[in-house]
Amino acid sequence: MHSPPMISCSVTIGLAEAIEDAGANPDQVFSEVGLDSSALSSAEGFLPCAAFARLLDRAAAASGNRAFGLQFGAGFNPKNVGALAYAVFNSSTVGAALETVGRYIHLHNEAAQVSLREEADGLNYFQYDLKNLVFEKPHQFVEYGMAVALKTLRLMVGSQWNPREVHFSHEAPTDVSEHREVFRAPVLFACSTTGLVIEREFCSQPIPAADSKLLKVLRPYLDNQLSQVPKEDQRLALIRRKVADSISDGHPNLRHVAKAMACSSRTLQRQLNNCGIDFRTLVDDTRKRLALKYLKDPNHTLAQIAFLLGYSEVSAFNRSFKRWTGKTPLHYRRRAG
């Protein structure tokens, strides 16, 4: 059985303020869905997608604003997402940016699935779905995601851009005036899918501020994140990514990684036990995986690799690598080359 899909805590940046501005008590809203707002203060952590859906739903109910998710998404800064957002903004064209979203979206939101397909009459369709959410009607979450997608596109090409049409698969709310104001396009509900109808030629439009050099740096980083434990349990893969992120800072400890995962040390330890692995073994195995990857890149010296793996001396790295493989790093590199 797979773990429930997770989403980056970066989605909660500014959420407490938005709830308060809407006339509700943010502490009460977070508490009612079983979340600790202080545990979500780090954008590096993760929380269940279903919990974020409940959070938006409860905020809408507590404030009496049924367009809360839409408005929060419209005001959200996509750059809060981090490396994925910067890769999108520095893609060469709009089409390339949308393909980047599709390739890397699971690093940010494991429930999201996006695709771009050609339609008739020179139109394209950018489809947005939430899968395996275990939440009956995630309308607020869906509208939040669509508003963020719209804002991202407008930040890339200019605020005056509008889609041809906007489709939602859920039923229309009583008042759709806010939706029309945000999207500045016909908004249709009870459709077969959720997505944006856009001109095909729009996908070929260059992104004026794109930096191709920055993109060349970001893509290998994102590919590395994707390549880490692709067949593992989703939750264990997330924990391993947080371990990898903290390894270069020294020796990652359970409490630090638990905080990055927005959970307690006890909860993290229980999750690892359920996966049949202890924290120390996970750290050691993650170091080994990273070492094998870094050694394949001739631009990394052994001293640099030792530093990236959190070792204070190359000799300590040599001892660990020989324990893992029976070879020294230099011998392994020469054989691999």
Side-chain angles (χ1 to χ4, degrees), residues 67-97:
F68 179 85
L70 179 75
Q71 292 174 352
F72 180 58
F76 185 79
N77 184 352
K79 293 181 180 179
N80 289 338
V81 171
L84 168 58
Y86 284 95
V88 170
F89 285 121
N90 288 285
S91 298
S92 57
T93 65
V94 171

Side-chain angles (χ1 to χ4, degrees), residues 84-164:
L84 168 58
Y86 284 95
V88 170
F89 285 121
N90 288 285
S91 298
S92 57
T93 65
V94 171
L98 296 179
E99 289 176 1
T100 297
V101 174
R103 177 174 175 81
Y104 300 114
I105 187 64
H106 280 188
L107 294 176
H108 168 68
N109 178 358
E110 290 187 318
Q113 289 189 356
V114 300
S115 60
L116 181 67
R117 67 173 187 263
E118 290 189 0
E119 299 287 285
D121 302 322
L123 298 175
N124 279 2
Y125 192 81
F126 179 70
Q127 185 170 329
Y128 172 76
D129 291 311
L130 294 174
K131 301 292 186 180
N132 305 315
L133 196 56
V134 196
F135 192 83
E136 187 177 354
K137 296 180 178 180
H139 301 171
Q140 297 294 327
F141 195 168
V142 169
E143 293 185 3
Y144 158 85
M146 288 285 282
V148 172
L150 177 84
K151 184 167 184 179
T152 301
L153 287 166
R154 285 177 174 165
L155 285 173
M156 285 193 293
V157 300
S159 60
Q160 298 307 307
W161 178 80
N162 303 317
R164 179 71 69 88

Side-chain angles (χ1 to χ4, degrees), residues 67-272:
F68 179 85
L70 179 75
Q71 292 174 352
F72 180 58
F76 185 79
N77 184 352
K79 293 181 180 179
N80 289 338
V81 171
L84 168 58
Y86 284 95
V88 170
F89 285 121
N90 288 285
S91 298
S92 57
T93 65
V94 171
L98 296 179
E99 289 176 1
T100 297
V101 174
R103 177 174 175 81
Y104 300 114
I105 187 64
H106 280 188
L107 294 176
H108 168 68
N109 178 358
E110 290 187 318
Q113 289 189 356
V114 300
S115 60
L116 181 67
R117 67 173 187 263
E118 290 189 0
E119 299 287 285
D121 302 322
L123 298 175
N124 279 2
Y125 192 81
F126 179 70
Q127 185 170 329
Y128 172 76
D129 291 311
L130 294 174
K131 301 292 186 180
N132 305 315
L133 196 56
V134 196
F135 192 83
E136 187 177 354
K137 296 180 178 180
H139 301 171
Q140 297 294 327
F141 195 168
V142 169
E143 293 185 3
Y144 158 85
M146 288 285 282
V148 172
L150 177 84
K151 184 167 184 179
T152 301
L153 287 166
R154 285 177 174 165
L155 285 173
M156 285 193 293
V157 300
S159 60
Q160 298 307 307
W161 178 80
N162 303 317
R164 179 71 69 88
E165 286 181 354
V166 181
H167 294 178
F168 287 105
S169 59
H170 58 261
E171 297 291 330
T174 305
D175 183 3
V176 298
S177 59
E178 187 70 22
H179 299 73
R180 291 169 180 158
E181 183 177 342
V182 167
F183 291 102
R184 301 199 301 261
V187 182
L188 309 179
F189 293 87
C191 300
S192 58
T193 56
T194 294
L196 300 174
V197 180
I198 56 182
E199 285 82 3
R200 192 172 304 162
E201 63 181 18
F202 173 64
C203 292
S204 302
Q205 183 170 327
I207 300 174
D211 184 341
S212 60
K213 292 182 180 178
L214 179 57
L215 184 63
K216 287 180 180 179
V217 174
L218 291 169
R219 285 188 69 92
Y221 170 80
L222 293 170
D223 284 334
N224 179 46
Q225 296 295 304
L226 277 183
S227 68
Q228 290 180 30
V229 291
K231 296 181 181 179
E232 283 185 325
D233 176 271
Q234 292 181 357
R235 185 63 173 175
L236 182 57
L238 284 169
I239 298 171
R240 189 187 290 276
R241 287 211 296 268
K242 301 320 299 177
V243 169
D245 289 343
S246 60
I247 276 176
S248 62
D249 297 331
H251 299 283
N253 58 66
L254 185 69
R255 185 178 61 82
H256 175 80
V257 175
K259 183 177 180 182
M261 297 295 296
C263 67
S264 68
S265 297
R266 181 177 297 179
T267 297
L268 178 57
Q269 187 62 68
R270 184 174 66 251
Q271 291 170 346
L272 289 172

Side-chain angles (χ1 to χ4, degrees), residues 7-10 39-47 242 258-262:
I7 190 168
S8 167
C9 287
S10 62
L40 301 174
S41 59
S42 170
E44 298 301 317
F46 289 84
L47 74 155
K242 301 320 299 177
K259 183 177 180 182
M261 297 295 296

Side-chain angles (χ1 to χ4, degrees), residues 290-306 308-309 314 317-318 321-322 325-337:
L290 291 173
L292 295 174
K293 174 184 177 297
Y294 292 146
L295 283 168
K296 292 177 181 177
D297 184 350
N299 293 319
H300 285 313
T301 66
L302 295 185
Q304 288 172 335
I305 295 174
L308 290 171
L309 296 178
V314 174
F317 168 50
N318 285 340
F321 194 85
K322 195 164 185 178
T325 66
K327 303 179 180 68
T328 66
L330 186 59
H331 183 220
Y332 176 89
R333 170 171 271 178
R334 286 172 176 169
R335 291 288 298 272

